[in-house]
Amino acid sequence: MDSILDGDVQTVFENKDLVDSSTIVDQDRIYGRDEQLAAEARAFRDTLDGERPPDLLLYGPSGTGKTLTVKAVANKVKERAQESGIEFDFVAVNFKTMESHTLDRAVWKLGHQTARKAGVVWDVPRSGVSTDMKYTRLYEIVDDHFDSLVFILDEIDALTGSTGADEPAYSRLLYSLSRVMSEQHVDTQLSTVVVTNYPKFRENLDSRTDSSYNPNGIHFSDYDANELIEILERRRDAFKDDALEDGVIEIVAAYGAQNEGDARRAIDLLRDAGEIANRAGDPVVTQDHVRSANDSVVKNRVLEIVGGMSVQKKLSLYAAALVAKENEGAAPSPVVYDIYKILCEGSDMEIYTQETVNSHINKAGTYGVLESERVSGGFKSGVHLVFKFTEPVGAVLDTLSADERLQEIPAKELGEVVKRRLRD
């Protein structure tokens, strides 16, 4: 233990921060996003002219460089602004990671992060103080400490708010932030950058918000395997010379490409492979280390998501996964519901309505296990949902099967039933 605490441990890493996907890197380490970087730079350029940058909406799949690029550009603008005597900064909040997805908690979090950037104490308690008072203190800090400020609102669609509310919490937040200057709460040039995987979140905006919130949209597409190789090559110096076996970057990129071109996960996978090599005392990261890391990541991610679900939610998701397994990852909701009813009958469980089952499955979608879209025609049901898994279906089924209440499910026989229902 003393040798570990003293740092006398062999490591494959030279600069581990470079394979931390949360690290803000220089633009020369970002590949395949020249068009997006240029659009963001043009928008932020207004800050250096003393003008308010336009609001931006960055949209596209997970891990395609949305947050990475905008933070890199904002960091560069901050350096230029300081040279010109302009007090500019950016405050980034990821709403998906908050323990509560209410407007009140979002405003508190924005205030807390803004106070940190301003170097002042955020003296507002989480509870016992109205949301309006939190807004007031937030605006005081903004006005006192910044000439220009950008709020980077990451995964804003997670900010759903209370069930049954007239509009989602993110709609109310965007309305307030889009009106803050016109209503003279601050003299600071205040802008927002919304980052989302689901641009359709705008369909749920209140009409007032939709009228006042008019961002410039910037689209980010999936990376392919070759682009992921280039991205990872730009972080090779995170490792010591000769610490990566030939083919390691290529296999990591291949896994990333299978995962919808997610560069963030690819970078994390490369780091995890290095950590496995360190734990084994190996001086070189091998392809076997990468495979072990990938297996562990998939199982842990799925286990974390589905492990705490109620049995009804697990049955709903299990039915969807069984259908998706036989249908190239896609599960039409009418077929899913048929299989769900068979599962409930075999387990002597109460059968819920199809609407409830769809809701249970969509809940898994909020954690990134799957996505859903509404389609029309087919399956004798008119308009229906189709669930498309973003996590490996096999890993989902294996994780769900670990629950003793689901261990007796005859998955093979049900697979044949699924095939027949899909043909009908």
Side-chain angles (χ1 to χ4, degrees):
M1 178 178 288
D2 288 340
S3 64
I4 294 175
L5 294 176
D6 292 337
D8 185 22
V9 177
Q10 177 174 279
T11 178
V12 297
F13 294 109
E14 183 68 34
N15 182 359
K16 194 174 177 181
D17 283 345
L18 291 177
V19 281
D20 183 340
S21 57
S22 64
T23 298
I24 301 176
V25 298
D26 296 333
Q27 292 184 36
D28 59 2
R29 290 188 184 274
I30 299 173
Y31 178 80
R33 291 294 177 253
D34 291 348
E35 181 180 340
Q36 290 83 356
L37 285 165
E40 291 164 359
R42 284 193 296 271
F44 277 73
R45 180 67 179 78
D46 291 343
T47 294
L48 304 178
D49 294 330
E51 299 176 359
R52 176 184 176 276
D55 294 325
L56 298 178
L57 172 62
L58 313 185
Y59 62 97
S62 296
T64 51
K66 300 183 296 294
T67 306
L68 178 72
T69 58
V70 76
K71 285 184 177 180
V73 171
N75 226 29
K76 180 62 68 174
V77 171
K78 182 177 178 179
E79 295 175 7
R80 297 281 183 87
Q82 288 175 341
E83 295 170 0
S84 302
I86 300 171
E87 291 296 331
F88 166 80
D89 216 324
F90 62 96
V91 173
V93 174
N94 187 311
F95 294 112
K96 192 171 184 178
T97 62
M98 294 195 315
E99 62 276 18
S100 172
H101 296 153
T102 63
L103 176 66
D104 186 76
R105 186 53 55 87
V107 177
W108 187 92
K109 187 71 172 180
L110 279 173
H112 182 265
Q113 297 293 85
T114 303
R116 288 182 59 185
K117 283 295 183 87
V120 299
V121 175
W122 177 243
D123 49 3
V124 180
R126 295 191 183 196
S127 58
V129 176
S130 69
T131 304
D132 283 345
M133 290 185 68
K134 292 181 174 74
Y135 269 126
T136 298
R137 179 58 181 144
L138 167 62
Y139 294 153
E140 286 175 353
I141 294 172
V142 170
D143 213 24
D144 289 346
H145 295 276
F146 303 100
D147 297 320
S148 181
L149 183 68
V150 173
F151 285 130
I152 300 175
L153 311 176
D154 205 348
E155 302 206 59
I156 196 170
D157 41 274
L159 192 61
T160 52
S162 304
T163 303
D166 293 338
E167 61 179 311
Y170 62 70
S171 177
R172 295 163 62 194
L173 178 65
L174 287 174
Y175 179 76
S176 297
L177 295 180
S178 66
R179 303 283 296 177
V180 63
M181 293 179 63
S182 62
E183 294 182 358
Q184 300 180 329
H185 292 297
V186 299
D187 291 326
T188 303
Q189 304 284 358
L190 185 64
S191 301
T192 61
V193 175
V194 169
V195 181
T196 180
N197 306 337
Y198 306 103
K200 289 185 177 181
F201 84 93
R202 296 195 65 186
E203 295 175 0
N204 295 319
L205 293 179
D206 179 79
S207 58
R208 298 178 310 155
T209 308
D210 195 40
S211 176
S212 61
Y213 172 67
N214 297 291
N216 294 345
I218 302 176
H219 177 247
F220 289 72
S221 58
D222 290 331
Y223 291 112
D224 61 28
N226 289 330
E227 288 173 322
L228 289 175
I229 289 172
E230 292 291 343
I231 289 167
L232 295 171
E233 285 288 354
R234 283 164 167 74
R235 304 197 186 213
R236 179 183 282 272
D237 53 335
F239 296 85
K240 292 180 176 178
D241 291 343
D242 301 321
L244 293 181
E245 179 184 73
D246 288 346
V248 160
I249 282 180
E250 287 75 10
I251 191 174
V252 171
Y255 280 128
Q258 291 173 10
N259 211 351
E260 298 194 348
D262 191 328
R264 182 168 56 244
R265 288 187 181 178
I267 292 167
D268 288 343
L269 178 59
L270 185 59
R271 182 197 63 238
D272 291 347
E275 290 176 341
I276 288 175
N278 279 348
R279 288 196 294 271
D282 297 332
V284 175
V285 183
T286 68
Q287 295 185 38
D288 285 340
H289 293 139
V290 175
R291 294 185 185 95
S292 296
N294 185 65
D295 290 344
S296 177
V297 165
V298 170
K299 290 176 182 177
N300 289 342
R301 187 168 60 239
V302 174
L303 178 62
E304 180 182 359
I305 292 167
V306 307
M309 286 182 170
S310 68
V311 65
Q312 276 289 343
K313 290 179 179 178
K314 286 182 177 180
L315 283 169
S316 301
L317 188 60
Y318 198 104
L322 280 174
V323 177
K325 182 181 179 183
E326 305 297 338
N327 197 40
E328 298 182 349
S333 58
V335 181
V336 171
Y337 189 59
D338 285 346
I339 301 304
Y340 161 81
K341 288 188 290 185
I342 294 173
L343 291 176
C344 288
E345 290 167 355
S347 307
D348 197 25
M349 299 289 292
E350 180 182 356
I351 297 176
Y352 286 16
T353 66
Q354 181 159 5
E355 182 180 6
T356 300
V357 170
N358 289 348
S359 176
H360 286 338
I361 298 170
N362 273 324
K363 183 66 175 177
T366 65
Y367 300 113
V369 173
L370 52 80
E371 297 175 346
S372 65
E373 63 176 338
R374 195 169 294 277
V375 301
S376 61
F379 301 101
K380 303 177 182 178
S381 58
V383 176
H384 61 273
L385 291 174
V386 173
F387 304 106
K388 295 182 178 180
F389 280 75
T390 54
E391 293 290 350
V393 173
V396 174
L397 288 170
D398 288 346
T399 304
L400 290 169
S401 297
D403 188 318
E404 62 182 15
R405 294 167 295 186
L406 279 67
Q407 286 178 355
E408 301 303 318
I409 291 175
K412 185 175 181 180
E413 290 83 349
L414 278 175
E416 295 302 316
V417 176
V418 169
K419 291 175 183 177
R420 290 197 299 271
R421 298 296 169 89
L422 287 169
R423 287 196 299 267
D424 291 342

